[in-house]
Amino acid sequence: MRMMNEKQILSFRRNLRKIERAVSNRLKNEGKCCGVTFNECHILLELFDAGSVSVNDLSETLGIDKSIISKTIENLFTEQLITREEDKTDRRKKIISLSSQGNKKVTYINNIMNTEYKQKLDMLGKNNFPGFLESVEYVAEIFEKWDKSFASDECGEDQNECNCN
């Protein structure tokens, strides 16, 4: 059963690009108000969610090159926002987590951003919000699965033969 026609798919993609641009612009500026870079902000927020992780796992989760992650982690360590320790099972691995200063920084970032997002989402009204939230979670799940499957060779050897639209 085909749910969407060509016009609806094009409209969905157009609106998705609008969302991507708006969110991307917000994310790029999100950390600036809090005194951290874009990558630093994402690492801090990921550590807040995960507790502690290895550098390799963080690189994979965020989709950021390990060399960039390492440099950013060094900056965060210098700023005393994270702690580092050797993995007990593999001394070559470094496990990082938030320091008390890092927790304060994440709390500050979350307070600012939660206030901004709440103001925008309040426009939905309390009756529409639960359905909206459920839809966003579902769409995020679909796109996360799509992103993980992207490692397969959809485009082929020749970029001119791309089927990735």
Side-chain angles (χ1 to χ4, degrees):
M1 171 163 63
R2 189 170 162 165
M3 294 176 39
M4 296 177 76
N5 64 38
E6 195 74 19
K7 188 175 181 179
Q8 290 169 317
I9 291 171
L10 287 172
S11 176
F12 171 77
R13 290 180 52 228
R14 184 179 311 109
N15 286 320
L16 190 58
R17 285 191 306 275
K18 288 178 185 178
I19 293 168
E20 288 170 346
R21 283 191 297 270
V23 170
S24 179
N25 288 335
R26 285 301 310 153
L27 290 175
K28 286 176 186 171
N29 292 311
E30 194 169 277
K32 288 181 184 176
C33 67
C34 306
V36 293
T37 67
F38 177 78
N39 286 337
E40 288 171 342
C41 186
H42 280 267
I43 289 171
L44 292 171
L45 293 172
E46 186 61 32
L47 289 174
F48 179 77
D49 289 341
S52 59
V53 297
S54 72
V55 174
N56 288 339
D57 290 344
L58 189 61
S59 175
E60 186 176 308
T61 298
L62 295 177
I64 300 173
D65 185 79
K66 189 178 172 194
S67 64
I68 294 171
I69 291 284
S70 295
K71 181 180 177 187
T72 307
I73 287 171
E74 188 60 38
N75 292 340
L76 292 170
F77 183 75
T78 300
E79 295 292 321
Q80 299 179 342
L81 297 174
I82 63 168
T83 61
R84 292 185 293 205
E85 56 186 64
E86 287 182 355
D87 186 308
K88 291 175 175 75
T89 59
D90 184 352
R91 291 179 20 185
R92 295 172 295 166
K93 279 187 175 179
K94 298 291 183 217
I95 304 297
I96 57 172
S97 54
L98 291 174
S99 67
S100 59
Q101 284 296 105
N103 273 308
K104 289 177 187 175
K105 179 68 82 171
V106 170
T107 299
Y108 181 70
I109 292 168
N110 281 335
N111 286 339
I112 288 173
M113 296 316 301
N114 287 351
T115 299
E116 284 195 31
Y117 277 84
K118 183 179 181 327
Q119 290 172 350
K120 303 305 172 258
L121 295 174
D122 279 349
M123 292 182 216
L124 291 168
K126 67 179 181 181
N127 293 333
N128 294 326
F129 183 72
F132 172 79
L133 188 59
E134 186 177 323
S135 295
V136 169
E137 288 173 2
Y138 187 64
V139 169
E141 184 179 310
I142 289 169
F143 279 85
E144 188 175 47
K145 287 178 184 175
W146 181 46
D147 185 43
K148 288 180 181 174
S149 73
F150 194 68
S152 66
D153 191 13
E154 294 182 29
C155 294
E157 294 291 321
D158 184 0
Q159 293 297 317
N160 294 326
E161 296 177 12
C162 187
N163 298 317
C164 304
N165 315 18

